[in-house]
Amino acid sequence: MGGTNCPTCGTQLMDGGKIAGRRDPGAQDVSICRGCAEILVLTRSAQGLTLRPTSATEYLELPEDAQSLLRVAHLLVRRQQRLVRAPRQLH
Ligand SMILES: [Zn+2]
């Protein structure tokens, strides 16, 4: 298991040179797991990329347009997966 798996559900998010839909994530970027809809922080360091769940505080510090994009993506993944698990509270 590399550093590009979702830390929550283990889904491999590296896909054709993209990671969680981002071709070239910056030093820090935010994306969403297509497996469990977890909102993830992508951090690039000397060790490579690491993924970790976004805290509610970090989410709220994102620009408003990024928040609404993530909210829509989150709902779409949830709808697709029809997970029975209770959604994580974002706010
Ligand atoms: Zn996941």
Side-chain angles (χ1 to χ4, degrees):
M1 203 154 124
T4 56
N5 294 75
C6 172
T8 300
C9 71
T11 297
Q12 175 57 259
L13 297 176
M14 183 63 86
D15 177 24
K18 290 197 215 172
I19 171 76
R22 310 276 175 157
R23 186 163 292 283
D24 186 26
Q28 182 144 319
D29 207 345
V30 176
S31 194
I32 188 161
C33 172
R34 60 164 185 260
C36 69
E38 183 75 83
I39 294 171
L40 301 168
V41 182
L42 289 69
T43 309
R44 191 201 284 279
S45 69
Q47 283 76 43
L49 276 172
T50 49
L51 298 175
R52 61 177 174 78
T54 312
S55 72
T57 314
E58 283 173 323
Y59 176 79
L60 291 173
E61 281 169 357
L62 293 170
E64 194 150 335
D65 56 338
Q67 281 188 35
S68 22
L69 275 173
L70 286 167
R71 202 150 42 216
V72 170
H74 185 84
L75 288 173
L76 286 174
V77 175
R78 282 280 170 202
R79 199 172 302 164
Q80 258 175 16
Q81 304 292 331
R82 302 214 179 273
L83 287 191
V84 288
R85 263 192 319 155
R88 220 157 72 103
Q89 278 297 338
L90 290 173
H91 45 84

